[in-house]
Amino acid sequence: MPQGQPENVPDDGLTTRQRRNRPLVLVHTGTGKGKSTAAFGLALRAWTQGWPIGVFQFVKSAKWKVGEEQALKTLGASGEGGSVAWHKMGEGWSWVQRDSQLSNEEAAREGWEQVKRDLAAETHKLYVLDEFAYPLHWGWVDTAEVIEVLRTRPGTQHVVITGRNAPPELMDFADLVTEMTKVKHPMDAGQKGQRGIEW
Amino acid sequence: MPQGQPENVPDDGLTTRQRRNRPLVLVHTGTGKGKSTAAFGLALRAWTQGWPIGVFQFVKSAKWKVGEEQALKTLGASGEGGSVAWHKMGEGWSWVQRDSQLSNEEAAREGWEQVKRDLAAETHKLYVLDEFAYPLHWGWVDTAEVIEVLRTRPGTQHVVITGRNAPPELMDFADLVTEMTKVKHPMDAGQKGQRGIEW
């Protein structure tokens, strides 16, 4: 994307610098591909800036996104850029006892509780809440509470939320919303997902 | 994205395995964010698979995507996954003599000539032709030729093309087309791009 100039300057009493460093909430939604992929691509930029990155995967299966996981963990361990903490709901969140049997709904809520704790402690500078739109859409996690927590989060912490069916209230609140629209997909022509492309 | 099942099985004489490993052409277009970011995110998956990756940036300025560049080069140099070759038009393609003064149009064509050579030699398994939709849209590089070269490329070489205004013929030809649509962008509210998020 070419460097953009703001179309108008808001009357919000902030300097350009303050506005520039404003913590952002980004939402990637829609039925097309690229929602999570673009979020992990953003993490590459954050890593280069040396930012601590927290990834929370709100999905059941651990099969998906192994490519991104391995690559970002390798970057995090390289000692050159930012750190990478990778949390997965699919295998049970690491901070939850193994023998506790959480339902998916409970597990999603538990993930959100950890995000809240990390936001309060300013643990990361970029949060990737991957597929978090689903538990919001299903009502497992309260959207109004999420918005309130995000609105009052301390410091400069950027948050990217991905997933289909992001709640309208969340999109209203977010600073940047991108909808990925499927124009054409090989599965329409009977092709199954393939390694290296789909995961 | 949850794992999909094909909606129908095509009558193309291919086995599921042959179809699964079919080389793909992907197009990320539209006016929203995430086109290039999602392409570089795809490169993370390819890297994890150990694939050689070739990135060709068809943009004038070298300022953009430095985050992705540094991260992917670090991955490529780690020796753990695939290799990463990163070619930039903005600083003059590395294989072009420094003192040759190419116009942007000539430089874009020269980039495409190198892509053709690499495709013929099966140099990479994933090609990211970043912002390549622009020279196609402007007619600097002939879309019909690009389609023909891609159609007849040997082996299993995946190609991702990004940029606004991808030509309709290219989208017709591509296996997967995603349109990124801007729903809301902080620049609308007068915010300038910020480091770590925009680049």
Side-chain angles (χ1 to χ4, degrees), chain A residues 1-10 12 16 18-24 26 28-29 31-42 44-49 51 63-72 74-75 78 80-81 126 131 134 156 158 164 170-199, chain B residues 1-10 12 16 18-24 26 28-29 31-49 51 63-72 74-75 78 80 126 131 134 156 158 164 170-199:
Chain A
M1 197 181 111
Q3 179 156 24
Q5 289 296 322
E7 280 157 24
N8 50 66
V9 175
D12 56 9
T16 300
Q18 284 169 325
R19 213 177 290 116
R20 180 182 282 262
N21 294 320
R22 197 176 58 178
L24 298 176
L26 299 86
H28 295 175
T29 191
T31 57
K33 282 176 67 69
K35 296 185 288 292
S36 300
T37 316
F40 293 119
L42 262 183
L44 296 183
R45 295 183 191 162
W47 175 85
T48 302
Q49 294 299 323
W51 295 358
K63 179 177 177 187
W64 294 90
K65 290 141 197 171
V66 288
E68 288 91 334
E69 180 180 353
Q70 193 179 329
L72 278 165
T74 299
L75 286 173
S78 72
E80 291 185 38
L126 175 70
E131 310 286 14
Y134 291 89
T156 304
H158 304 286
R164 293 190 188 194
L170 179 68
M171 297 205 275
D172 285 347
F173 168 72
D175 300 289
L176 189 148
V177 178
T178 305
E179 185 170 334
M180 276 69 171
T181 310
K182 178 184 85 167
V183 178
K184 192 203 257 185
H185 194 286
M187 285 184 194
D188 299 339
Q191 174 146 18
K192 297 181 95 169
Q194 59 182 302
R195 189 181 302 161
I197 298 293
E198 298 281 345
W199 66 86
Chain B
M1 199 182 107
Q3 178 156 25
Q5 290 295 322
E7 281 158 22
N8 51 64
V9 175
D12 55 10
T16 300
Q18 285 170 324
R19 212 176 291 117
R20 179 181 283 262
N21 294 319
R22 196 176 59 177
L24 298 176
L26 299 85
H28 295 175
T29 191
T31 57
K33 284 179 63 71
K35 296 185 287 292
S36 299
T37 316
F40 293 119
L42 261 183
L44 295 183
R45 297 184 189 161
W47 175 83
T48 302
Q49 294 300 322
W51 296 357
K63 178 177 176 187
W64 295 92
K65 289 142 200 172
V66 287
E68 288 91 332
E69 180 180 354
Q70 192 178 329
L72 278 166
T74 299
L75 286 173
S78 72
E80 290 184 39
L126 175 70
E131 310 287 15
Y134 291 90
T156 304
H158 304 286
R164 291 189 190 196
L170 179 68
M171 297 205 275
D172 285 346
F173 168 70
D175 300 288
L176 189 148
V177 178
T178 304
E179 185 170 332
M180 277 70 171
T181 310
K182 178 184 83 165
V183 177
K184 192 202 259 184
H185 193 286
M187 285 184 194
D188 298 341
Q191 173 146 20
K192 296 182 93 170
Q194 58 182 303
R195 190 181 301 158
I197 297 293
E198 299 281 344
W199 66 85

